Amino acid sequence: MARKPDRIRIEVFGPAEAETAEDAFRPSDDAIQSLARLIGRQMAREQFERARALERKQARQNRSSPMR
């Protein structure tokens, strides 16, 4: 089996002369916004599921408590 390199090399290129700095970073900004949106949705989904689980647990406890 071939040995895998220990480090990944990432090369960063500056904007081409025809591009402005703002235009050069737009694709990465779009990618970051998409990723942030996905993470935010996942966090909201998990928070909602925790709240629903707590509601179900409380409902179970209320059903199982003796009537007075």
Side-chain angles (χ1 to χ4, degrees):
M1 180 178 258
R3 183 173 182 265
K4 294 182 181 179
D6 294 332
R7 294 185 181 178
I8 297 173
R9 294 182 186 259
I10 299 174
E11 295 183 34
V12 179
F13 299 97
E17 292 178 20
E19 297 177 334
T20 64
E22 184 178 314
D23 292 338
F25 292 110
R26 185 159 318 282
S28 63
D29 288 346
D30 292 342
I32 290 169
Q33 287 177 349
S34 295
L35 183 59
R37 194 174 300 115
L38 288 171
I39 292 170
R41 287 179 182 166
Q42 181 65 33
M43 290 171 61
R45 189 177 302 117
E46 291 170 359
Q47 182 179 6
F48 178 77
E49 289 174 0
R50 280 192 303 269
R52 293 284 297 153
L54 182 61
E55 289 173 7
R56 286 192 301 269
K57 181 179 178 182
Q58 289 174 346
R60 255 192 328 268
Q61 288 175 349
N62 289 342
R63 283 193 307 257
S64 64
S65 64
M67 298 283 257
R68 293 184 188 179

